[in-house]
Amino acid sequence: MQIVLFGPPGAGKGTQAKFISEKFNIPHISTGDILRENVREGTALGKKAKAFMDKGALVPDEILIDIIKDRLQKPDTKRGFLLDGFPRTIAQAEALDPILDEINKKLDAVVNVDVSANELIRRLSGRRTCRSCGATYHVKSNPSRVAGVCDQCGGELYQRADDTEAAIKHRIDVYKNQTQPLIDYYRKKGLLMDVDGEREIDEVRSDIMRALERFQ
Ligand code: AP5
Ligand code: ZN
């Protein structure tokens, strides 16, 4: 099964992706996680991407397309995959089709998680992320059992560099201008499934599972 998890920054894509990839036993491929790992390791790619990411801008399409092309060719995508954070522009969506052709796959569904701008700002400004496993928490609505410590792996929780007020606002603008047009693009292809993301984490998860039921 090949799924794209789509939505604005802070919609809960990372939170829900974990459940979906476990349930369907497919790898969770997050371009944000791949980029942050490169930044952490100080690779050439990470050095190029950091300045764009910190201010909440998109990293250039060519870089992302190369990353996805490489990643989708790994053997663990044979059973399918869950894309989180890609595609984010029309150019990326158009580049995805020939990449999928090469590995004899096609998209089954694009799950669009919808959340209002005010709630996105609330979520992102209170988010804490695990430095070791990438799990996300929220200081109020999804706190870890012990403050600053990941429930799942005991790793240290930190605030992402792009979760500052200025960067959050910019990310939401970038989403509206460059990413939102993909909703129509995928609706026209008959792949879009809308989910109301502004409810409890468990409720959103149940809706996504219901939407994807026929692929099980
Ligand atoms: P990326 O890492 O993809 O960031 P994003 O799209 O901004 O998404 P987030 O990770 O911020 O949010 P999320 O939807 O995963 O929400 P989460 O589950 O954490 O990208 C980062 C940067 O990398 C980009 O800005 C860009 O520079 C670059 N990049 C990546 N891909 C790219 C591409 N394709 N092209 C170009 N550049 C690219 O949840 C958020 C918070 O809310 C958490 O605290 C969580 O606990 C809480 N929460 C979740 N669900 C709920 C709920 N139902 N109720 C209450 N709280 C909730
Ligand atoms: Zn962790």
Side-chain angles (χ1 to χ4, degrees):
M1 179 168 67
Q2 289 73 240
I3 307 172
V4 170
L5 194 55
F6 186 85
K13 302 184 295 295
T15 304
Q16 300 295 340
K18 222 182 110 31
F19 299 128
I20 304 171
S21 73
E22 278 168 16
K23 174 88 182 168
F24 292 101
N25 193 21
I26 50 176
H28 167 207
I29 301 177
S30 155
T31 44
D33 287 350
I34 294 172
L35 288 168
R36 278 186 291 279
E37 197 180 315
N38 276 276
V39 170
R40 204 166 42 240
E41 288 172 358
T43 66
L45 169 66
K47 284 184 183 134
K48 231 187 259 175
K50 187 176 187 310
F52 294 102
M53 295 174 75
D54 283 355
K55 59 177 191 250
L58 293 184
V59 175
D61 285 336
E62 317 80 76
I63 296 182
L64 268 297
I65 293 165
D66 281 350
I67 290 177
I68 284 296
K69 195 170 182 180
D70 270 13
R71 181 62 187 85
L72 291 184
Q73 272 162 0
K74 296 211 168 132
D76 66 345
T77 61
K78 279 214 171 67
R79 287 181 42 93
F81 52 78
L82 174 64
L83 287 181
D84 162 8
F86 186 96
R88 242 180 169 95
T89 61
I90 297 279
Q92 291 179 16
E94 286 174 348
L96 181 59
D97 286 335
I99 294 175
L100 293 178
D101 283 347
E102 254 177 64
I103 57 169
N104 284 318
K105 299 264 186 223
K106 60 172 186 46
L107 289 183
D108 292 307
V110 175
V111 178
N112 175 31
V113 184
D114 191 31
V115 175
S116 67
N118 280 346
E119 173 66 3
L120 296 175
I121 295 168
R122 190 198 69 82
R123 287 186 189 180
L124 292 175
S125 49
R127 173 167 59 185
R128 297 293 181 271
T129 306
C130 175
R131 232 182 250 294
S132 309
C133 75
T136 52
Y137 298 87
H138 188 277
V139 286
K140 290 213 177 89
S141 53
N142 183 23
S144 56
R145 284 192 294 271
V146 178
V149 181
C150 178
D151 290 349
Q152 291 169 41
C153 76
E156 181 204 354
L157 302 185
Y158 78 108
Q159 186 162 26
R160 264 169 50 175
D162 59 351
D163 280 347
T164 59
E165 203 185 318
I168 291 170
K169 290 217 166 99
H170 188 54
R171 283 157 68 200
I172 294 173
D173 281 348
V174 167
Y175 170 79
K176 285 189 180 144
N177 295 327
Q178 301 193 55
T179 308
Q180 202 157 255
L182 288 175
I183 293 181
D184 268 354
Y185 178 89
Y186 283 120
R187 204 185 296 284
K188 280 186 190 135
K189 289 182 184 278
L191 291 173
L192 204 78
M193 295 178 168
D194 291 299
V195 169
D196 176 4
E198 204 160 326
R199 290 167 311 140
E200 296 294 320
I201 292 174
D202 287 355
E203 294 174 318
V204 179
R205 174 176 44 181
S206 305
D207 261 18
I208 295 178
M209 290 307 174
R210 212 169 301 128
L212 297 176
E213 218 159 41
R214 65 188 165 98
F215 300 111
Q216 285 185 43

